[in-house]
Amino acid sequence: MKRMIAKVAGVSAAAMTMALVPLAGTSYAAGCTGAGCDNLGPVSQACDGDAVTKASVTDGIDKAELRWSPKCQAAWVRVTDPYGPDNWWDHLGYIEKHNGYAGPLVRSLSVKIPDPGSDWSNMLGGSGYYYRVCLKDTGAGDVTCSPYW
């Protein structure tokens, strides 16, 4: 009787484990799309898995990349400082969302560039907009931006 209970418990535990572990190749649905992604995180919304770099800019040290998720129809800026620590003031990366090519600014989001390391902003969404990413050196006031995409 004890052996039967142990076998049933073992089979039940194995079945529960298999039910909780996703199969290889399982895809997860995006948590948002388009403007519904505004100011949400790309990782937390599962938008980072299919992301591609559409534009980038560098100031010779720091780099900002415009990342685009086709699945989520949303963009964000990923920033990198490979060297550090070299900054006495903040360096920022930001993404701009424009209504038309070089049109009115709809919204922008920024992220402080780690010294050294990488980080990213929250997203701005919608396929009918133009986006660009910029680097800002708050000490010198210099701003460098990518082309619009």
Side-chain angles (χ1 to χ4, degrees), residues 64-66 75-79 93-95 109 111 119-121 133:
E65 298 170 274
L66 186 135
W76 62 93
V77 61
R78 179 172 64 188
V79 294
Y94 59 92
I95 183 167
L109 295 172
V111 61
D119 203 356
W120 53 88
S121 70
V133 293

Side-chain angles (χ1 to χ4, degrees), residues 18 21 32 50 80 98 129 137:
M18 290 303 294
V21 176
C32 64
D50 70 335
T80 305
H98 290 265
Y129 297 95
D137 180 332

Side-chain angles (χ1 to χ4, degrees), residues 37-76:
C37 293
D38 279 3
N39 208 25
L40 298 177
V43 175
S44 67
Q45 297 301 307
C47 296
D48 59 324
D50 70 335
V52 293
T53 299
K54 292 295 188 176
S56 65
V57 64
T58 183
D59 62 7
I61 297 174
D62 299 326
K63 183 178 183 180
E65 298 170 274
L66 186 135
R67 302 287 290 165
W68 174 256
S69 167
K71 176 175 57 176
C72 295
Q73 297 291 293
W76 62 93

Side-chain angles (χ1 to χ4, degrees), residues 99-120:
N99 193 3
Y101 184 83
L105 178 66
V106 175
R107 189 169 186 187
S108 68
L109 295 172
S110 66
V111 61
K112 183 178 175 184
I113 301 171
D115 194 15
S118 293
D119 203 356
W120 53 88

